[in-house]
Amino acid sequence: MKRYWDRLWQSSLVRFGLVGVLNTVVGTTIMFVLYNKLHCTYWQSSFANYFFGSILSFFLNKYFTFRSKKRSWGEVVRFVINIAVCYLLAYGISKPLMLHLLSGQSQQFRENVAMLFGMVLFVALNYIGQRFFTFRKENS
C-alpha cells in the first residue's frame, strides 16, 4: 500500500490537482465576488481570476507540481503564453456555448454557468499545456 501511495504522490497529475484546488478557491472567490457583488463584466471577472490565480499557480506548479529547477525567462514566457491561450480558448468557447444552450435563462445565470464551464475547460487545457509545454522535461 505504501508503494502505491508513493507512486501516486509522485504523479504530477495528483500534485497539479492539489494546486488546482487551492487556485480554484482563490480564483473562484475573486471571479464571483467581482461579477456578482461588484458587478464587473464576464470578461473582467474571469480575467481577474486567472491573472491573480496564475501568479500563484506559476510558483506552485513550477516548484511543487513539476519540480522544475530551471531559472529561465523561457519558462515564464511559456507559462504566460499557455495561460493566455488556455484562457482565451476556454472562456471563448464557454460563453457562446452556454448563452446558446441556456437561452431561456437570465443573462446572469448563463454567464455564471459559462464561467464555471470555462473553469473546467481551462483546467484540462492548462494541465496539458503546463505538462508538455511550459515545464516540459528536456531530453538529455
Side-chain angles (χ1 to χ4, degrees):
M1 184 66 166
K2 181 177 177 353
R3 189 177 188 181
Y4 173 76
W5 176 254
D6 289 343
R7 225 177 46 222
L8 182 65
W9 183 248
Q10 294 303 314
S11 167
S12 63
L13 185 59
V14 170
R15 292 189 309 268
F16 187 81
L18 293 172
V19 169
V21 168
L22 179 60
N23 273 343
T24 299
V25 169
V26 171
T28 303
T29 300
I30 290 169
M31 182 168 64
F32 287 117
V33 166
L34 286 173
Y35 185 78
N36 293 300
K37 298 295 183 193
L38 300 177
H39 308 291
C40 293
T41 69
Y42 171 88
W43 290 107
Q44 291 167 333
S45 302
S46 63
F47 177 80
N49 172 4
Y50 288 97
F51 179 80
F52 294 111
S54 292
I55 294 168
L56 176 62
S57 174
F58 177 79
F59 291 104
L60 290 176
N61 281 317
K62 176 178 177 54
Y63 295 111
F64 176 67
T65 304
F66 299 110
R67 298 179 178 165
S68 175
K69 307 254 188 273
K70 294 180 199 171
R71 297 202 181 265
S72 76
W73 283 104
E75 275 186 343
V76 174
V77 170
R78 287 191 306 271
F79 183 84
V80 169
I81 290 168
N82 180 63
I83 293 295
V85 168
C86 292
Y87 170 76
L88 292 171
L89 281 173
Y91 284 85
I93 291 168
S94 183
K95 186 174 182 181
L97 181 62
M98 290 304 128
L99 290 178
H100 174 72
L101 291 177
L102 302 172
S103 61
Q105 302 296 321
S106 73
Q107 181 79 12
Q108 184 174 7
F109 178 80
R110 292 184 294 166
E111 288 186 348
N112 274 291
V113 172
M115 286 188 284
L116 286 171
F117 186 68
M119 288 171 58
V120 172
L121 286 176
F122 180 88
V123 168
L125 295 169
N126 187 36
Y127 176 76
I128 293 166
Q130 286 194 43
R131 172 76 174 84
F132 298 106
F133 176 65
T134 303
F135 301 114
R136 68 182 179 265
K137 303 266 188 226
E138 299 295 330
N139 292 334
S140 322

